[in-house]
Amino acid sequence: MEGLIDLHTHSHYSDGTLPPAEVVALAAARGVAVLALTDHDTTAGLEEAQQACRTAGISLVAGVEVTAGWRGQEIHIVGLGIEPSSSALQTHLAHLLRLRRERVVAIGEKLQRSRKLSGMDPVSGVLASTAVPTRTHVARAIAQAGLAKTVQDAFDKFLGRGCPGYVPQEWPALPLAIDAIRSAGGHAVLAHPHRYRLSSGALRNLCAEFRDAGGSALEVSLPGLSPNDATRLASLARQHALAGTAGSDFHEPGLPWRPLGRFAKLAEGIEPLLPRLRIMGNE
Ligand code: AMP
Ligand code: MN
Ligand code: MN
Ligand code: MN
């Protein structure tokens, strides 16, 4: 069997639960031959991932999932084949991490004012334990304190839009994210385009602007994608002359609906981005 290719995964350097070496070990056990580690707004796990990949005989694509804004909506741009030491990229990521910390502080202040949390502080521990605080971390803390049944329940009761701890965030605009990735020699991929709750027309506009700003590919295959969404994403890629990637968006072994390395092949007529990506340590 040919090796699998998974170009979207997370470690505990952002909101995944495993250290990079364990993500790599799991990938090896599943038959993954080419892996990208794409933590939210940080490249801090790539060195460890590279060491583990060398031992496991896996090719590592250096990646990062950059948070960006488009028409008031949060979108995610995966950068692949990046040079992590690029100062333009690191300056951009440092700015995103400042915004993330400020937002989590604001979430904590809002939650403290809401009586529903009964005095529990759900953010100090998060800020102390990670350089990349996400709402997923806060949701886990709330669930662990027994104030929500699950992480999803914590989002539904406390953190989602319209909830007592919801803090809107303006992220740096899409073209800035693409520029940061390209100045590090990487390719920009629009992550999980079907998850943004955009109308078909708005999603077409997003793809067109993404391509015009220098984007290379759409993420067209993920685990659990409905046949309808798979068809929509493939035709968006073809219409906008964008290449395609596939990835699991793996975060933790306990979430069986995002299994590492398991998703459909790229659809007929979609150009794979992989041949254009450099493998870390091979240059
Ligand atoms: P952040 O980047 O801090 O806004 O956190 C975003 C992460 O939280 C995403 O990667 C999702 O996995 C998760 N998330 C966002 N909204 C929800 C929601 N309504 N329910 C469950 N998880 C969510
Ligand atoms: Mn995440
Ligand atoms: Mn994402
Ligand atoms: Mn992701």
Side-chain angles (χ1 to χ4, degrees), residues 26-119:
L26 189 58
R30 298 258 169 102
V32 172
V34 184
L35 177 74
L37 182 67
T38 55
D39 274 310
H40 296 286
D41 304 331
T42 185
T43 59
L46 291 173
E47 278 295 324
E48 280 173 49
Q50 193 194 0
Q51 299 231 344
C53 278
R54 218 181 273 132
T55 309
I58 290 179
S59 296
L60 181 69
V61 172
V64 60
E65 184 171 10
V66 180
T67 314
W70 184 74
R71 297 189 183 174
Q73 164 110 24
E74 173 178 325
I75 59 170
H76 291 176
I77 310 297
V78 168
L80 294 176
I82 52 167
E83 171 47 59
S85 66
S86 151
S87 61
L89 176 64
Q90 292 302 335
T91 301
H92 190 74
L93 298 181
H95 177 55
L96 293 173
L97 296 190
R98 273 197 302 278
L99 294 176
R100 281 194 169 281
R101 280 192 293 273
E102 287 165 13
R103 185 194 197 189
V104 164
V105 168
I107 289 173
E109 284 167 357
K110 269 195 96 174
L111 286 173
Q112 296 275 313
R113 287 199 294 273
S114 126
R115 269 173 299 152
K116 273 168 98 181
L117 263 192
S118 53

Side-chain angles (χ1 to χ4, degrees), residues 61-279:
V61 172
V64 60
E65 184 171 10
V66 180
T67 314
W70 184 74
R71 297 189 183 174
Q73 164 110 24
E74 173 178 325
I75 59 170
H76 291 176
I77 310 297
V78 168
L80 294 176
I82 52 167
E83 171 47 59
S85 66
S86 151
S87 61
L89 176 64
Q90 292 302 335
T91 301
H92 190 74
L93 298 181
H95 177 55
L96 293 173
L97 296 190
R98 273 197 302 278
L99 294 176
R100 281 194 169 281
R101 280 192 293 273
E102 287 165 13
R103 185 194 197 189
V104 164
V105 168
I107 289 173
E109 284 167 357
K110 269 195 96 174
L111 286 173
Q112 296 275 313
R113 287 199 294 273
S114 126
R115 269 173 299 152
K116 273 168 98 181
L117 263 192
S118 53
M120 180 237 167
D121 168 10
V123 310
S124 298
V126 170
L127 289 165
S129 64
T130 177
V132 189
T134 69
R135 287 184 298 157
T136 307
H137 289 95
V138 181
R140 282 191 193 125
I142 293 172
Q144 268 158 24
L147 293 160
K149 288 194 279 292
T150 59
V151 168
Q152 183 60 53
D153 189 40
F155 267 99
D156 295 344
K157 285 202 177 98
F158 295 104
L159 299 174
R161 209 176 274 264
C163 297
Y166 181 70
V167 174
Q169 176 68 51
E170 273 222 28
W171 298 100
L174 171 70
L176 295 174
I178 297 173
D179 287 349
I181 290 164
R182 295 184 75 199
S183 49
H187 286 273
V189 181
L190 182 61
H192 42 65
H194 60 299
R195 282 199 214 139
Y196 300 126
R197 295 193 196 144
L198 296 171
S199 68
S200 314
L203 190 53
R204 273 199 305 277
N205 289 338
L206 171 58
C207 290
E209 284 185 35
F210 174 74
R211 194 239 0 250
D212 292 346
S216 294
L218 295 190
E219 196 170 50
V220 294
S221 175
L222 296 108
L225 194 64
S226 73
N228 193 24
D229 280 339
T231 306
R232 274 173 68 215
L233 296 186
S235 68
L236 277 170
R238 287 190 208 98
Q239 275 166 23
H240 296 92
L242 288 160
T245 67
S248 61
D249 204 5
F250 170 83
H251 282 70
E252 52 183 302
L255 294 182
W257 55 90
R258 284 192 199 168
L260 209 150
R262 296 282 185 275
F263 34 77
K265 290 214 173 77
L266 295 188
E268 204 62 39
I270 302 293
E271 181 210 338
L273 182 66
L274 182 62
R276 291 195 253 156
L277 299 176
R278 63 175 144 182
I279 303 299

